[in-house]
Amino acid sequence: MATEGKLAYDADFKLKAISREFSINKSVVHRWRKQEDELHLTRKTKKSFHGRKARWPGLEDGLHLWISEQRAAGRSLSTVTIRIQAKTIANELHIEEFKAGPSWCFCFMKRQLSICTRTTVSQQLLADYEEKLATF
């Protein structure tokens, strides 16, 4: 007998289930009733509310702005420099319990940034590369 995987329902289906239109497990409907206000505000095709919210949203907003400025200036950033800047911003905001650990940095990058490395051309192209390409 094949086991069924976990099902994902969109917000519209959840709202209909709350109004007792379908026969769904009570615990699931109870959790959806708690989320009813959020479900009305979200788009109807959204399937879940997974992922943790930021513990310090002001810190993360300031750090995201700083990272955007650095990227616009063409600077590459390591996780160490991001963590150092996060600690600096936390001190400015008087957040004492913030540690800026590696796991926080990785989760921040998943929440706020596209995790990718900026690509660069390491060798300069020759001045007459088009001619050589055409003759090749």
Side-chain angles (χ1 to χ4, degrees):
M1 180 176 182
T3 59
E4 291 184 25
K6 187 175 179 179
L7 297 175
Y9 300 103
D10 59 17
D12 190 41
F13 181 86
K14 292 175 185 178
L15 288 170
K16 288 178 183 176
I18 290 171
S19 65
R20 301 178 193 274
E21 194 171 319
F22 300 107
S23 59
I24 303 290
N25 190 348
K26 280 177 148 185
S27 65
V28 173
V29 174
H30 179 72
R31 186 175 63 242
W32 291 347
R33 281 193 180 132
K34 285 183 177 179
Q35 297 175 339
E36 186 169 8
D37 294 334
E38 293 178 67
L39 290 170
H40 281 293
L41 295 175
T42 189
R43 65 182 191 276
K44 297 295 181 189
T45 57
K46 184 170 174 113
K47 297 239 182 213
S48 66
F49 292 111
H50 67 279
R52 292 180 64 180
K53 292 184 174 55
R55 187 170 176 189
W56 301 283
L59 167 76
E60 292 197 4
D61 291 341
L63 185 60
H64 187 267
L65 179 65
W66 179 79
I67 290 171
S68 299
E69 291 169 358
Q70 298 300 311
R71 284 186 172 178
R75 296 183 187 102
S76 62
L77 299 169
S78 68
T79 56
V80 175
T81 56
I82 291 173
R83 290 170 50 204
I84 291 170
Q85 183 64 25
K87 191 69 174 161
T88 305
I89 294 172
N91 289 336
E92 291 172 3
L93 297 174
H94 306 292
I95 302 172
E96 295 177 8
E97 65 272 6
F98 181 69
K99 293 184 175 70
S103 60
W104 170 86
C105 185
F106 180 73
C107 291
F108 164 75
M109 291 171 69
K110 278 177 43 177
R111 278 191 302 272
Q112 297 281 341
L113 308 171
S114 61
I115 303 175
C116 60
T117 306
R118 190 174 149 240
T119 56
T120 59
V121 177
S122 58
Q123 295 179 353
Q124 297 294 326
L125 296 174
L126 299 173
D128 59 344
Y129 81 94
E130 290 179 355
E131 294 175 23
K132 291 186 177 186
L133 185 64
T135 60
F136 182 72

